[in-house]
Amino acid sequence: MSETTNSYGYVGKIARINLTTRTVTEIPTSRYVPENIGGRGVCNRIFWDEMRPGIAAFDPENMIIYMTGPTTATGIPTGGRGVFTGISPNSYPEQYAWSGIGGSVGAELKFAGWDGFIVEGRADAFTYIYINNGEITFRDAEPLRGLLVHDTQRAIAELHGGEVQSFVIGPAGENLMRNATITTSNDNVAAKSGFGAVFGAKNLKAIAVRGTGDVSAADIPKLFELRRRMGSPSMRKNPLVRELTHGMDGNEIPVEGGWLRGQVSCSHGCNQHCNRLMLDMKSAFGDGRVNQVEKCVGIFAYGFQEDCSWTPIQNYETERNHFLACKMLSREEPEPDTDDPHFDALFTKVRGDILNFWKPDFDKGSVMMDMCNEYGIDKWDVIVWFFTWLSMAKSEGLLDNLDFGMEVDVESEEFVRYFIEMIAYRRGEYGRIFGEGMARAIRILGKEQYGDALYHGRVSQVTGERLDLPVSLETAWGHSYHWQGRGFEGTINKPGWVATSLELMNSTRDAQTVAHHHDKYENYLQFKDDPCRSPLLVDGVILSENKAEIKDSVTCCDWQSPDLYWDSLEAEMFAAATGIPMTTEELNRAAERSRLLFRAILIRDFGRTRDMEVAAIFPTMRYPDASGETVEWDEWNDLVDIYYTKRGYDLTTGFPTRETFERVGLPDVAERLYPAEVEP
Amino acid sequence: MSDKSNPHIVQSPPEESFCAGCDSCEIICALAHGEAVSPARRRLFVRRDIRTMYHTVFTCRHCDDHPCYNACPKKGAAMRLDGCIAYIDDAECVGCGACARACPYDPPRVNYDRERKLARKCDLCRTREGGPACVEWCPVRCLSLLEIASEVE
């Protein structure tokens, strides 16, 4: 591929935007593709090539990389998603991480002629970046300072026209709140890595994009075939529905007069509409009503007495019974095949633990959501971690000596408003502390007393027993539990949480956002009794991890991929976009390269070793799951041995061997990581 | 302008089918006409409301007196008529933008890229078997072809 020449799928160049020098340079995309596919694969390569150890998240030297994939803006479904990477202020400790995001900026960026951008340095004045086709300029953002997210989006549209697309931060990002989001249209966010705070540290309020150029897929008939087949069955009406209740499984609440539900898609060109739009909801700001998007976690803002239930079909599938995750939220699941001999096992719901965090309150939940949206804060940590901690710590009498300036009461809308505002603006001593995110706040306060103390209010609905849980729902790397057997979405059984915990161990942040774990039920039957000694379970973990790299690189959506019974889906998407033949095996090899670059970055810049990652994850699995199960040191390490062996890592250090790097075409990485005598 | 419009693409009311804001119609429009995907090549327009998330699809009404056709300095060549459909012959169009300026609607239903001198307008996929592609491929079926002539709103 020739440099900077337009080609199918890619538009040819990446912008290097230096805020310190206010300069822009072009990098030919062909320097990185097709070998690194796009998206996260390219980000990982750039970060490996250009960064070095010793840089902190808020340093000017930290770079925020945003990349689209070759499918973005082509019309191949779900290709509208893109990926940010950089050193995450929300990971604990700070580490290189990623965050996916939907919306339309990625497509607009490609229409403007850019496959992605690297933002580096720090502006000496509050700035936003305006990308207008090939022209990239630095604009005064002082008039935008302090604006809420939607006001910022509106102001940018007034300045540059209604067609402009933007990434913006709210007050939380400006105040370096470590859970700050980058937000775009339809309330899409890059949330978990806290990159909104990196924007803030760079004095960057927004990136606005307008493009009018062309993006071409190579194989249009194939593109239409993919649109027809992906997400099938599709193509049906999407009426607004008046719901009379909200919440599920122990958190239901009747809503007087009902509430109006719509379904919207998250990204340009998607063929689904899995995001739930809640219309005419109570706003946190003034007397107005707002429409807002609720995704999986949002439902718990409105009531959190009982944890999310789990149905095995969410993770384990048969050829006769499997459907896409996006069909669940749009409530368009196909009728199950009841003749499947595994039907009963797959569809038997396991109710979540009784937790009694807060009672259902429709308006209070809406206010909590609206504040997160407008201040630009990750809803996940607010709902799953901050407020569950406040509830549990209060219940256990741990807050008696902490004066927040208001009595802690998670049932009170007034307190919800007070606390979220306090952390977004980092007001007072506790605003400064909790603005550091929960992992750091707990350590500032004293982890033993405020994090590890036990909550005695959890009751399993599997065993009927009280199963104590720490008051801080922390798992590894400064993130909270997510489908890990305890805490939020904790109902998944041991073979499932062993797999998701292994995926988290190898990560730097919550992995169950782009790597929701899936495996075939026939495999599950083989490893369910001794999951930690199963090479087959590890195969499923590696599949989920590799597919996550692929999804974030091609790009496509976690809610449509993987389809375990259409393994070549992502390769077909890539080939349709680029015209470059691609097999499932070749794409998998690219995913392995991307993961190895990620691991090489962690080893070089952040001291990642086996001891470090096992120590990070193991304690989180010592608390009982809903069935009272835990994991033992030996069995976990047996599982890690199997995983390292399959991945080609040294069993002692956890470093990939030279041979592993060379096998996927990365001898240069091995050479740089292990100069001369340093063998893993 | 005439108080009549001809068959044209209409958006369903939200209680019937809510626009998901995916832009698939704009994408499919360009692809169905054998073109690259581009804001400059769409023949209908999704106007997004980033706050309410009510998105409006603006489409050509195919006016009875077709002012876009009348304004074209090369009408009959660059702008042609096929029954009630005024359509652009790309090979003949000089990109003057007169058709867009003549459109009585706001926003104009002719897509004119001043910089690239590209004009595009809906032709109801007149040569396409199966009719308008945007209707066929809307993932939420919120677009349809209004067959009968209607009063201009």
Side-chain angles (χ1 to χ4, degrees):
Chain A
M1 193 182 302
S2 63
E3 291 206 337
T4 68
T5 304
N6 280 14
S7 58
Y8 293 121
Y10 309 103
V11 291
K13 57 187 193 293
I14 298 164
R16 180 189 299 282
I17 304 170
N18 190 304
L19 287 162
T20 305
T21 60
R22 294 169 70 90
T23 55
V24 178
T25 50
E26 293 181 12
I27 303 168
T29 311
S30 57
R31 185 178 294 174
Y32 303 106
V33 301
E35 184 186 17
N36 297 289
I37 305 298
R40 182 139 60 113
V42 171
C43 294
N44 287 353
R45 185 74 223 194
I46 291 172
F47 197 93
W48 166 258
D49 286 348
E50 300 195 7
M51 292 296 277
R52 55 185 165 74
I55 295 169
F58 294 149
D59 289 348
E61 291 83 0
N62 187 16
M63 54 171 60
I64 285 280
I65 311 169
Y66 172 79
M67 281 299 302
T68 62
T71 58
T72 307
T74 62
I76 294 172
T78 79
R81 297 193 61 82
V83 179
F84 281 99
T85 71
I87 299 172
S88 160
N90 194 38
S91 290
Y92 186 84
E94 289 183 355
Q95 295 180 89
Y96 177 66
W98 77 93
S99 220
I101 189 166
S104 295
V105 178
E108 198 73 17
L109 191 69
K110 288 183 76 168
F111 295 140
W114 306 94
D115 289 304
F117 54 73
I118 304 165
V119 178
E120 55 192 18
R122 176 185 290 154
D124 59 6
F126 202 48
T127 297
Y128 74 95
I129 294 166
Y130 180 43
I131 301 174
N132 183 12
N133 287 313
E135 187 183 22
I136 299 179
T137 50
F138 302 85
R139 304 292 180 100
D140 176 16
E142 277 304 331
L144 307 178
R145 188 186 287 278
L147 291 186
L148 302 175
V149 160
H150 288 109
D151 289 342
T152 307
Q153 292 175 325
R154 194 178 295 117
I156 287 172
E158 284 170 6
L159 286 164
H160 299 293
E163 303 278 0
V164 74
Q165 302 290 338
S166 57
F167 289 135
V168 309
I169 61 169
E174 291 183 36
N175 293 310
L176 310 191
M177 200 268 173
R178 285 179 186 262
N179 292 104
T181 63
I182 298 167
T183 306
T184 186
S185 55
N186 281 15
D187 286 350
N188 275 274
V189 289
K192 290 221 167 195
S193 290
F195 289 142
V198 178
F199 265 41
K202 291 185 176 302
N203 256 336
L204 180 64
K205 177 68 172 175
I207 299 175
V209 186
R210 179 71 183 118
T212 56
D214 295 343
V215 177
S216 300
D219 188 342
I220 303 303
K222 181 68 183 180
L223 182 157
F224 277 103
E225 183 193 322
L226 288 165
R227 287 198 76 87
R228 186 79 74 189
R229 186 175 171 195
M230 286 176 68
S232 175
S234 187
M235 309 289 186
R236 61 184 188 188
K237 289 183 182 296
N238 177 41
L240 293 180
V241 177
R242 186 157 295 280
E243 303 280 3
L244 299 178
T245 62
H246 183 272
M248 57 185 185
D249 295 346
N251 299 312
E252 303 96 335
I253 182 172
V255 179
E256 193 179 340
W259 63 280
L260 210 51
R261 175 176 65 84
Q263 298 290 149
V264 294
S265 61
C266 90
S267 61
H268 182 266
C270 188
N271 59 344
Q272 298 297 310
H273 40 276
C274 49
N275 287 350
R276 183 174 299 168
L277 181 65
M278 305 179 75
L279 295 105
D280 200 27
M281 302 292 290
K282 182 171 184 176
S283 170
F285 306 91
D287 298 327
R289 310 292 290 183
V290 292
N291 299 343
Q292 56 196 13
V293 167
E294 174 192 87
K295 296 175 190 170
C296 59
V297 73
I299 197 167
F300 291 88
Y302 300 87
F304 202 163
Q305 298 181 124
E306 181 175 327
D307 188 26
C308 187
S309 60
W310 176 64
T311 311
I313 188 68
Q314 290 171 267
N315 298 97
Y316 302 111
E317 303 163 15
T318 63
E319 188 147 18
R320 297 172 75 162
N321 275 304
H322 65 282
F323 58 86
L324 303 178
C326 51
K327 300 292 188 187
M328 287 189 296
L329 268 183
S330 61
R331 301 188 180 176
E332 294 177 340
E333 300 106 318
E335 282 296 312
D337 181 348
T338 55
D339 293 332
D340 185 341
H342 303 300
F343 169 77
D344 287 341
L346 289 171
F347 287 92
T348 299
K349 182 191 281 190
V350 183
R351 289 287 288 263
D353 297 335
I354 304 291
L355 296 165
N356 286 324
F357 292 149
W358 52 86
K359 297 183 183 72
D361 183 331
F362 197 60
D363 281 347
K364 183 182 66 135
S366 181
V367 164
M368 188 184 275
M369 298 269 281
D370 197 32
M371 294 185 88
C372 291
N373 285 337
E374 293 291 13
Y375 289 149
I377 308 176
D378 178 15
K379 284 176 195 161
W380 185 281
D381 272 8
V382 168
I383 297 167
V384 172
W385 206 351
F386 282 100
F387 276 89
T388 61
W389 178 80
L390 287 163
S391 172
M392 289 188 278
K394 174 82 183 290
S395 170
E396 297 299 332
L398 303 178
L399 304 183
D400 296 346
N401 296 323
L402 303 184
D403 181 6
F404 291 132
M406 180 182 279
E407 177 70 20
V408 172
D409 180 4
V410 297
E411 305 287 1
S412 153
E413 183 184 311
E414 189 184 2
F415 177 75
V416 166
R417 288 173 181 269
Y418 177 83
F419 187 83
I420 297 177
E421 193 169 303
M422 181 180 82
I423 60 176
Y425 290 96
R426 308 194 70 162
R427 286 188 181 138
E429 179 187 2
Y430 291 105
R432 285 190 294 278
I433 290 173
F434 286 96
E436 288 292 295
M438 278 302 288
R440 288 169 175 81
I442 288 296
R443 284 162 177 80
I444 293 167
L445 294 172
K447 186 169 182 295
E448 194 174 335
Q449 181 179 356
Y450 291 100
D452 300 337
L454 292 177
Y455 173 58
H456 300 95
R458 174 197 182 202
V459 177
S460 165
Q461 297 200 80
V462 175
T463 65
E465 294 175 10
R466 199 189 88 192
L467 297 169
D468 295 343
L469 185 75
V471 294
S472 172
L473 297 182
E474 179 170 351
T475 175
W477 311 127
H479 285 252
S480 52
Y481 287 109
H482 188 178
W483 290 123
Q484 282 178 262
R486 60 283 288 164
F488 179 58
E489 294 186 327
T491 321
I492 186 172
N493 67 2
K494 184 171 178 178
W497 60 253
V498 159
T500 59
S501 297
L502 186 57
E503 287 156 13
L504 178 62
M505 186 192 83
N506 300 307
S507 178
T508 53
R509 48 149 285 176
D510 182 357
Q512 296 302 303
T513 53
V514 70
H516 279 99
H517 185 73
H518 298 280
D519 207 337
K520 292 183 178 175
Y521 190 70
E522 66 199 53
N523 295 340
Y524 169 80
L525 291 175
Q526 292 188 57
F527 58 63
K528 67 182 176 63
D529 295 326
D530 192 6
C532 289
R533 271 103 184 180
S534 170
L536 197 57
L537 180 139
V538 170
D539 287 343
V541 167
I542 290 174
L543 173 80
S544 282
E545 288 180 338
N546 286 0
K547 286 289 189 183
E549 297 290 333
I550 290 167
K551 282 178 254 186
D552 272 352
S553 299
V554 166
T555 51
C556 48
C557 179
D558 185 55
W559 291 50
Q560 281 205 39
S561 163
D563 181 335
L564 298 182
Y565 297 91
W566 185 9
D567 196 32
S568 60
L569 164 64
E570 303 86 358
E572 291 178 39
M573 293 170 72
F574 176 87
T578 63
I580 300 167
M582 177 64 71
T583 65
T584 306
E585 293 72 27
E586 288 168 335
L587 196 56
N588 202 49
R589 193 162 175 266
E592 287 188 26
R593 275 198 298 276
S594 184
R595 281 206 68 83
L596 282 168
L597 283 164
F598 179 69
R599 193 152 183 94
I601 290 165
L602 301 189
I603 292 166
R604 181 191 66 183
D605 296 352
F606 305 100
R608 179 64 67 96
T609 63
R610 173 175 181 147
D611 289 348
M612 180 184 181
E613 60 189 17
V614 170
I617 194 72
F618 182 72
T620 74
M621 299 177 291
R622 296 297 295 153
Y623 301 101
D625 74 2
S627 301
E629 296 259 16
T630 60
V631 74
E632 298 301 320
W633 177 259
D634 286 347
E635 64 175 334
W636 182 256
N637 279 284
D638 287 349
L639 181 69
V640 174
D641 282 351
I642 297 169
Y643 175 84
Y644 280 6
T645 301
K646 280 185 176 283
R647 279 291 192 193
Y649 299 171
D650 179 84
L651 292 182
T652 304
T653 62
F655 295 178
T657 64
R658 279 180 188 276
E659 186 187 19
T660 299
F661 283 114
E662 287 164 358
R663 181 172 52 79
V664 296
L666 294 173
D668 58 311
V669 177
E671 206 53 48
R672 194 164 150 202
L673 192 62
Y674 310 134
E677 71 282 2
V678 185
E679 281 291 335
Chain B
M1 81 180 149
S2 163
D3 61 353
K4 294 278 188 186
S5 63
N6 287 300
H8 60 277
I9 305 298
V10 291
Q11 181 181 3
S12 302
E15 57 272 20
E16 187 178 312
S17 191
F18 188 70
C19 172
C22 64
D23 295 311
S24 292
C25 51
E26 294 183 348
I27 295 166
I28 294 298
C29 176
L31 295 174
H33 287 83
E35 297 193 303
V37 180
S38 169
R41 298 180 186 279
R42 61 193 171 180
R43 292 156 174 84
L44 76 176
F45 314 87
V46 180
R47 177 68 58 87
R48 304 177 142 275
D49 188 315
I50 51 178
R51 190 65 197 93
T52 67
M53 285 170 256
Y54 271 91
H55 308 307
T56 308
V57 184
F58 291 107
T59 62
C60 174
R61 306 300 290 263
H62 299 284
C63 310
D64 223 22
D65 57 351
H66 34 72
C68 54
Y69 172 84
N70 292 331
C72 177
K74 290 179 70 180
K75 61 181 172 231
M79 184 74 83
R80 297 168 183 249
L81 288 177
D82 178 0
C84 61
I85 301 169
Y87 69 96
I88 296 169
D89 183 332
D90 300 341
E92 295 286 338
C93 176
V94 295
C96 68
C99 52
R101 290 192 294 276
C103 178
Y105 289 96
D106 182 22
R109 308 305 156 87
V110 178
N111 185 9
Y112 181 58
D113 182 336
R114 190 182 306 274
E115 207 166 296
R116 291 199 286 171
K117 296 198 179 302
L118 278 178
R120 295 288 184 270
K121 78 171 285 297
C122 175
D123 60 0
L124 291 179
C125 294
R126 61 188 186 87
T127 59
R128 183 178 182 271
E129 199 175 325
C134 56
V135 173
E136 181 182 338
W137 288 91
C138 172
V140 293
R141 295 276 189 230
C142 79
L143 296 178
S144 58
L145 178 63
L146 183 67
E147 297 278 6
I148 55 167
S150 64
E151 296 291 329
V152 172
E153 292 162 8

